[in-house]
Amino acid sequence: MKKMAVCALAVMLCAGMTTACTNTKKAPEATTQEETATSSVNFGKGLNEDGTLEGVNATDYVTLCDYSAINISKEDVTASKDEVQSQIDSLMENYKKTEQVKDKKVKKGDTVNIDYKGTVDGKEFAGGSATGFDLEIGSGTFIEGFEDQLVGHAPGETVSVKVTFPKDYQSEDVAGKDAVFETKINYILKETEQKLTDQFVKENLQSAYGYTSVKDMKKKIKENLEDSKKADYISNYMLKNSTFKEIPEEMVNERVDIQVEELKRSLSQSGYTIEQYLSQNGLKDEKELKDHYYSDCETITKVFLVADAVAKNQKITVTDQDVKEYFNGQDYSSIEQYYGMPYIHRVILNNLVWKAIEKTAVIK
């Protein structure tokens, strides 16, 4: 359950949010596949220790709708077999056996690990270099023509990949220009799927997730999915039917600041700067980035206000026992170190509120 709790916290941070600007085809950019266990981001910004909004009386900004008996269609909150299987497939991705292949040539569909350095007119450009990057050939991840030029080459070779950036490319510095990427192929990554058996579940998933067998795993995943669907339905219902006064910008900006700081942290881990990110995504400055985040962060703030108002009305608070139950009695010290208790309390408080409303909901 500990890993599931981490995912829930991350989802809560990004609820309703997408990357400011994403590209289906982009130039190679510096990245890494590793995450650190600590964070310099203040996830608890604007929150009291108990998770409620700091210095805010929620009922000053929201008039709650009648939530005493919300009608919910069973179809809307039932997890399908395909949804359950998708969750299982995603989880099993983390347990694939990997092997570095160096005696075969690259073909379409292979995932290759590469180092590359890009230049335009003989000069390196921002975001055009990386080491140890895993790239699936044929995925269209990189700019058109890049991946195809690696086909037929073998690990250990260095290939001069020549491409031309589109004239409407986001970064004006390289738009419409010819570029050369000196690309070394380190190895081909071969992955082998693990067979899902009761023994595999006990050896790999029981301590982290509490699953005891394949059947138990499917049952609990289905329950978790349906709990999530109910929570989403209720929170969306409350947002749609409650009445809000204008939310002060400074309240929303606290959520925006967290998003931006988390983005900077992630970029820094990848050896990438916020300036490079802004340039490649066609954003003029950090203010424009914050503008992209504002609407979704306003929605998140409204969710917090609704939850705080319901919690106040029903005298719901987060106890130490609630925290223990959320983490299934397991050690959560590393998660506390990363997110901080105010943010953890925020997530758990929301869960308790939706659960309280669910008790009186009518599922048909």
Side-chain angles (χ1 to χ4, degrees):
M1 290 296 292
K2 186 175 180 180
K3 290 184 180 179
M4 294 174 69
V6 174
C7 291
L9 290 165
V11 168
M12 182 66 189
L13 170 68
C14 300
M17 307 197 70
T18 58
T19 304
C21 291
T22 56
N23 310 301
T24 54
K25 293 186 178 181
K26 58 183 180 180
E29 59 188 40
T31 188
T32 179
Q33 282 75 40
E34 296 184 2
E35 294 289 334
T36 60
T38 59
S39 175
S40 58
V41 180
N42 180 13
F43 292 101
K45 185 175 183 178
L47 300 178
N48 294 310
E49 183 64 28
D50 64 1
T52 56
L53 289 168
E54 186 177 22
V56 176
N57 182 10
T59 52
D60 289 343
Y61 299 100
V62 59
T63 301
L64 297 173
C65 61
D66 179 9
Y67 57 88
S68 58
I70 299 175
N71 289 314
I72 303 176
S73 169
K74 187 175 182 180
E75 182 180 358
D76 289 335
V77 294
T78 299
S80 68
K81 289 183 179 180
D82 287 344
E83 288 175 318
V84 173
Q85 188 60 51
S86 178
Q87 289 283 311
I88 293 173
D89 292 343
S90 178
L91 179 59
M92 293 300 288
E93 281 285 327
N94 299 321
Y95 293 91
K96 284 184 175 179
K97 292 182 178 180
T98 59
E99 178 185 353
Q100 296 181 8
V101 178
K102 298 183 179 181
D103 59 354
K104 293 184 179 179
K105 292 184 177 181
V106 176
K107 65 180 185 300
K108 191 171 182 178
D110 285 342
T111 296
V112 295
N113 182 274
I114 58 176
D115 302 335
Y116 57 82
K117 181 173 68 175
T119 58
V120 171
D121 297 329
K123 296 181 180 180
E124 292 186 46
F125 58 91
S129 301
T131 59
F133 188 92
D134 290 339
L135 173 65
E136 181 183 348
I137 303 300
S139 65
T141 302
F142 283 178
I143 195 167
E144 187 175 356
F146 185 102
E147 295 164 28
D148 291 340
Q149 294 179 56
L150 300 182
V151 174
H153 293 280
E157 291 186 43
T158 297
V159 184
S160 294
V161 177
K162 299 177 181 180
V163 297
T164 301
F165 284 94
K167 291 182 179 180
D168 61 350
Y169 193 71
Q170 297 91 333
S171 176
E172 295 180 0
D173 293 340
V174 296
K177 296 183 179 180
D178 295 330
V180 178
F181 289 90
E182 293 298 328
T183 306
K184 180 183 178 183
I185 304 173
N186 297 318
Y187 54 84
I188 300 171
L189 187 65
K190 181 181 178 182
E191 295 184 328
T192 305
E193 293 184 359
Q194 295 268 34
K195 188 175 181 180
L196 182 59
T197 63
D198 288 346
Q199 183 177 351
F200 174 86
V201 170
K202 289 179 181 179
E203 292 178 353
N204 297 278
L205 305 177
Q206 186 167 7
S207 62
Y209 297 92
Y211 305 145
T212 58
S213 65
V214 175
K215 182 178 180 180
D216 180 60
M217 176 184 183
K218 292 180 178 180
K219 176 176 178 290
K220 288 178 178 175
I221 287 177
K222 180 177 173 64
E223 291 172 349
N224 285 329
L225 283 171
E226 292 180 347
D227 284 345
S228 179
K229 284 174 176 282
K230 290 173 188 174
D232 287 344
Y233 187 98
I234 290 169
S235 63
N236 289 331
Y237 180 94
M238 297 297 291
L239 284 178
K240 182 178 179 180
N241 294 282
S242 297
T243 303
F244 294 89
K245 294 182 179 178
E246 186 175 352
I247 310 300
E249 287 187 8
E250 57 267 25
M251 196 185 302
V252 180
N253 283 333
E254 288 174 338
R255 313 267 68 80
V256 174
D257 289 344
I258 293 171
Q259 282 295 133
V260 173
E261 290 305 311
E262 175 63 359
L263 174 62
K264 287 180 178 179
R265 182 205 64 80
S266 178
L267 292 171
S268 177
Q269 280 192 318
S270 305
Y272 203 48
T273 67
I274 188 67
E275 289 76 20
Q276 291 170 331
Y277 177 88
L278 294 173
S279 175
Q280 286 207 349
N281 285 280
L283 297 169
K284 292 187 298 184
D285 50 31
E286 199 169 305
K287 181 182 182 302
E288 191 169 340
L289 173 65
K290 290 183 177 182
D291 289 342
H292 277 275
Y293 282 143
Y294 192 89
S295 178
D296 288 323
C297 285
E298 184 176 32
T299 299
I300 292 175
T301 303
K302 288 181 177 180
V303 170
F304 288 3
L305 288 169
V306 166
D308 285 359
V310 174
K312 183 177 180 180
N313 288 346
Q314 298 202 16
K315 297 180 172 54
I316 299 172
T317 58
V318 180
T319 66
D320 291 343
Q321 184 59 33
D322 292 325
V323 177
K324 290 179 181 178
E325 290 178 2
Y326 182 81
F327 290 105
N328 201 32
Q330 295 187 357
D331 178 27
Y332 57 88
S333 57
S334 61
I335 302 174
E336 179 182 354
Q337 181 181 358
Y338 190 90
Y339 289 102
M341 284 310 300
Y343 185 74
I344 291 174
H345 284 153
R346 174 76 260 173
V347 176
I348 297 175
L349 179 64
N350 282 21
N351 286 347
L352 293 175
V353 166
W354 310 145
K355 282 291 185 183
I357 297 176
E358 183 189 330
K359 289 180 181 179
T360 60
V362 180
I363 300 180
K364 296 181 179 181

